């Protein structure tokens, strides 16, 4: 079910990228520190456009789990001022200056046309090569779904708009993934307390 969830979440993101308010606020600060609204929009679009590139590349030879994918990435726990996270923002800002909101939305639209056929045609054992490691295709798409759900909310808040509704499968998959990451970062007991016992809840169980 993650494949249609990815495509539906990408369609929701595209609708937001086509909102004319984005052009008006392209150079304004976003809801995320040190990220312009245009840079954030570019980062959101990357979750779709880069998927085309990765699925078109030769498959990888071995895969790790989704949890290992995140726990092996320094940006997950290193904080917004780390070199990894600064580099993520810098690359998005640089590419945002080379495009316009309309061009960005058109690129996502074109990518979605391609992905509509490509995603469904992937064999279940296809490994997406990410360089240092690989992920099975459905696990890779799960990571993209999480990024789409989280950053669509970020962009909507940045534009002062209601967050577009996401397909239930996408939101449920995102909650499950973020819960697993939160338990890894903070311990299962702290996550349980945060969800069930307000009087003993930790200050934060943020997964990212």
């Amino acid at each position: 079910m993650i494949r249609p969830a990815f495509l539906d979440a990408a369609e929701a993101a595209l609708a937001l990228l086509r909102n004319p308010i984005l052009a008006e606020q392209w150079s304004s600060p976003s809801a995320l520190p040190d990220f312009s609204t245009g840079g954030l929009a570019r980062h959101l679009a990357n979750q779709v456009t880069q998927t085309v590139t990765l699925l078109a590349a030769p498959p990888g030879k071995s895969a790790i789990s989704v949890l290992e994918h995140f726990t092996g990435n320094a940006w997950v726990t290193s904080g917004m001022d780390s070199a990894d996270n600064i580099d993520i923002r810098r690359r998005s800002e640089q590419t945002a200056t080379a495009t316009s909101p309309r061009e960005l939305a058109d690129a996502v639209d074109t990518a979605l046309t391609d992905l509509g056929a490509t995603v469904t045609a992937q064999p279940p054992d296809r490994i997406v090569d990410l360089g240092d490691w690989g992920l099975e295709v459905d696990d890779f798409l799960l990571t993209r779904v999480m990024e789409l759900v989280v950053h669509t909310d970020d962009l909507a808040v940045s534009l002062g708009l209601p967050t577009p509704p996401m397909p239930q499968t996408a939101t449920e998959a995102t909650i499950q993934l973020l819960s697993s990451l939160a338990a890894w970062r903070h311990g299962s007991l702290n996550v349980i307390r945060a969800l069930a016992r307000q009087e003993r809840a930790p200050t934060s169980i943020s997964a990212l």
Side-chain angles (χ1 to χ4, degrees), residues 96-115:
T97 62
T99 189
S100 69
R102 180 173 181 176
E103 289 170 339
L104 185 64
D106 287 346
V108 173
D109 197 357
T110 299
L112 264 172
T113 299
D114 180 289
L115 290 168

Side-chain angles (χ1 to χ4, degrees), residues 45-208:
N46 287 346
Q47 312 313 315
V48 182
T49 58
Q50 290 182 356
T51 297
V52 174
T53 302
L54 289 167
L55 292 183
K61 296 181 179 179
S62 62
I64 62 175
S65 70
V66 173
L67 189 58
E68 288 174 309
H69 167 72
F70 284 101
T71 59
N73 265 311
W75 67 264
V76 175
T77 59
S78 56
M80 61 170 288
D81 293 326
S82 70
D84 295 285
N85 283 301
I86 290 173
D87 186 57
I88 290 171
R89 295 194 296 272
R90 178 185 57 80
R91 285 185 278 115
S92 293
E93 294 290 347
Q94 287 177 341
T95 51
T97 62
T99 189
S100 69
R102 180 173 181 176
E103 289 170 339
L104 185 64
D106 287 346
V108 173
D109 197 357
T110 299
L112 264 172
T113 299
D114 180 289
L115 290 168
T118 305
V119 165
T120 56
Q122 296 298 309
D125 59 350
R126 163 70 193 273
I127 295 174
V128 180
D129 187 0
L130 300 178
D132 292 333
W133 53 71
L135 288 173
E136 291 185 357
V137 63
D138 286 350
D139 285 344
F140 167 72
L141 293 173
L142 170 59
T143 69
R144 299 310 90 195
V145 165
M146 186 271 285
E147 294 274 358
L148 286 165
V149 170
V150 170
H151 290 309
T152 296
D153 178 48
D154 290 332
L155 184 59
V157 171
S158 300
L159 298 176
L161 296 171
T163 299
M166 284 285 178
Q168 184 176 356
T169 305
T171 56
E172 288 178 351
T174 298
I175 290 169
Q176 183 175 359
L177 175 55
L178 291 176
S179 297
S180 297
L181 289 172
W184 169 75
R185 286 194 68 177
H186 304 284
S188 298
L189 182 58
N190 279 327
V191 174
I192 292 169
R193 285 174 172 173
L195 296 174
R197 287 292 177 262
Q198 185 176 6
E199 65 275 15
R200 295 197 298 276
T203 303
S204 172
I205 57 165
S206 177
L208 302 174

